[in-house]
């Protein structure tokens, strides 16, 4: 592979590998990949349509934004890609990846990853494969050449986080209650203060005493007063399971049980 890279650089008149931002190594019948740490400025790398089984070659290529590894024989990516946090496009379809959980876990730190392909891997045959990827990789917007729909995100959330959805559905409404604190007026105590310079209206300088107020029983800490003056947030929730649906008979003689409303207040 080293000779292939040297031939490419020579063909394009490139003398320093540090200047390379794109490297096209597709369709070279490569069975392995050499160390590419000599290309620290690499942004785009094509390794597709080869016979690669392992990819332990990208340790220092942190700037990669697009990586093409499709049509290979890769069986595992654990520990190979999780440091490439700048990746936006990653194509891994038509390989031999069998463990969906491990593959998804490897990519969870890629917050900028938007385009991903996994199809034609063994784990892509699992019934819940697509929803699994959608839920655990929320930054991805295009999966297996199909844009992710909002309905799919909702379905994935229902499947993998039912408790959160139960809480969201039980939240009936929330309202902000303005409730300022009433401060009891007290007689201010005398404070001798400390002398400070001042300039009077006649332009002459003199001394005056600056009053300092300290927290006391009659004079609370201003920060505490400010905190207590914040408005109170009030939420109410109810069990929607007790509410008759539109499919039920609205003219029943027997009235339905009134739902229990729970109100929670916090500052």
């Amino acid at each position: 592979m080293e000779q292939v890279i040297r031939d490419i650089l020579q063909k394009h008149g490139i003398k320093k590998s540090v200047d390379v931002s794109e490297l096209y190594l597709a369709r070279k019948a490569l069975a392995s990949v050499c160390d590419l740490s000599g290309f620290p400025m690499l942004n785009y790398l094509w390794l597709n349509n080869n016979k690669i089984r392992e990819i332990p070659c990208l340790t220092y290529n942190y700037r990669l934004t697009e990586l093409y590894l499709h049509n290979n024989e890769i069986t595992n990516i654990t520990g190979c890609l999780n440091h490439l946090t700048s990746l936006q496009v990653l194509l891994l379809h038509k390989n031999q990846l069998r463990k969906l959980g491990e593959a998804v876990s490897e990519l969870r730190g890629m917050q900028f990853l938007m385009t991903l392909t996994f199809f034609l891997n063994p784990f892509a045959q699992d019934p819940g494969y697509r929803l699994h990827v959608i839920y655990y990789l929320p930054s991805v917007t295009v999966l297996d050449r199909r844009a992710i729909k909002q309905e799919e995100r909702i379905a994935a959330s229902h499947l993998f986080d039912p408790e959160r959805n139960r809480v969201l559905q039980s939240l009936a409404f929330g309202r902000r209650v303005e409730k300022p604190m009433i401060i009891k007026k007290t007689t201010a105590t005398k404070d001798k203060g400390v002398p400070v310079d001042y300039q009077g209206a006649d332009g002459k300088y003199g001394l005056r005493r600056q009053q300092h107020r300290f927290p006391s029983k009659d004079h609370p800490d201003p920060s505490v007063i400010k905190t207590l003056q914040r408005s109170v947030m009030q939420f109410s929730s109810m069990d929607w399971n007790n509410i008759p649906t539109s499919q039920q008979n609205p003219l029943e003689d027997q009235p339905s049980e009134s739902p229990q409303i729970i109100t929670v207040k916090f500052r």
Side-chain angles (χ1 to χ4, degrees):
M1 178 179 174
E2 292 85 348
Q3 184 60 44
V4 173
I5 295 177
R6 283 195 294 267
D7 293 342
I8 293 175
L9 297 182
Q10 184 177 2
K11 180 180 179 180
H12 292 84
I14 301 175
K15 297 182 179 181
K16 296 181 180 180
S17 59
V18 71
D19 298 329
V20 177
S21 61
E22 301 181 12
L23 190 57
Y24 187 84
L25 297 172
R27 306 180 188 276
K28 302 295 183 181
L30 301 175
S32 62
V33 182
C34 67
D35 183 18
L36 296 176
S37 59
F39 299 87
M41 305 301 291
L42 203 59
N43 294 122
Y44 309 95
L45 177 60
W46 288 266
L47 291 170
N48 53 288
N49 294 85
N50 285 296
K51 299 179 181 180
I52 301 172
R53 294 187 177 183
E54 298 180 353
I55 46 174
C57 57
L58 307 174
T59 307
Y60 299 100
N61 304 109
Y62 298 103
R63 296 175 62 91
L64 274 175
T65 56
E66 296 186 14
L67 179 58
Y68 301 89
L69 292 167
H70 53 286
N71 291 1
N72 276 291
E73 300 175 5
I74 300 171
T75 58
N76 189 10
I77 62 172
T78 301
C80 302
L81 303 176
N82 57 4
H83 61 287
L84 303 178
T85 55
S86 297
L87 271 184
Q88 300 177 16
V89 177
L90 176 61
L91 304 190
L92 276 165
H93 60 273
K94 203 173 182 181
N95 277 285
Q96 298 299 318
L97 299 174
R98 298 182 179 277
K99 298 181 179 180
L100 174 61
E102 292 183 2
V104 171
S105 178
E106 183 71 10
L107 310 181
R108 291 189 68 174
M110 300 179 182
Q111 301 181 3
F112 302 102
L113 185 62
M114 296 183 292
T115 301
L116 175 66
T117 60
F118 271 145
F119 65 93
L120 294 180
N121 278 282
F123 65 54
Q125 304 299 321
D126 297 343
Y129 145 74
R130 184 173 174 86
L131 293 182
H132 184 103
V133 177
I134 291 174
Y135 179 77
Y136 287 104
L137 299 177
S139 65
V140 176
T141 57
V142 179
L143 175 60
D144 294 341
R145 300 176 180 173
R146 288 169 48 199
I148 296 176
K149 299 180 180 180
Q150 182 62 23
E151 293 80 2
E152 292 180 301
R153 296 194 185 278
I154 295 174
S157 180
H158 278 285
L159 180 62
F160 293 100
D161 196 354
E163 180 62 21
R164 178 175 180 272
N165 283 276
R166 186 191 67 79
V167 174
L168 290 176
Q169 291 180 1
S170 66
L171 186 62
F173 54 87
R175 60 191 177 92
R176 190 178 182 89
V177 180
E178 297 295 339
K179 192 175 181 180
M181 174 184 174
I182 300 176
I183 303 176
K184 182 179 179 181
K185 294 183 178 180
T186 58
T187 303
T189 58
K190 294 184 178 180
D191 187 0
K192 295 181 179 180
V194 294
V196 294
D197 293 332
Y198 81 101
Q199 183 178 9
D202 56 358
K204 298 182 179 180
Y205 287 89
L207 291 177
R208 69 179 179 184
R209 297 209 172 256
Q210 184 180 25
Q211 299 294 323
H212 291 279
R213 299 187 181 276
F214 300 92
S216 64
K217 182 177 179 181
D218 296 329
H219 296 80
D221 190 339
S223 63
V224 176
I225 296 177
K226 184 176 180 180
T227 301
L228 295 177
Q229 285 180 330
R230 294 175 182 170
S231 60
V232 176
M233 186 68 71
Q234 175 176 304
F235 285 94
S236 298
S237 62
M238 63 192 306
D239 188 1
W240 289 99
N241 294 325
N242 296 331
I243 303 299
T245 63
S246 59
Q247 297 178 352
Q248 295 176 345
N249 186 5
L251 301 178
E252 292 179 350
D253 296 335
Q254 184 177 0
S256 58
E257 183 180 355
S258 300
Q260 182 180 5
I261 300 178
I262 302 176
T263 302
V264 180
K265 295 181 180 180
F266 59 92
R267 195 175 301 277

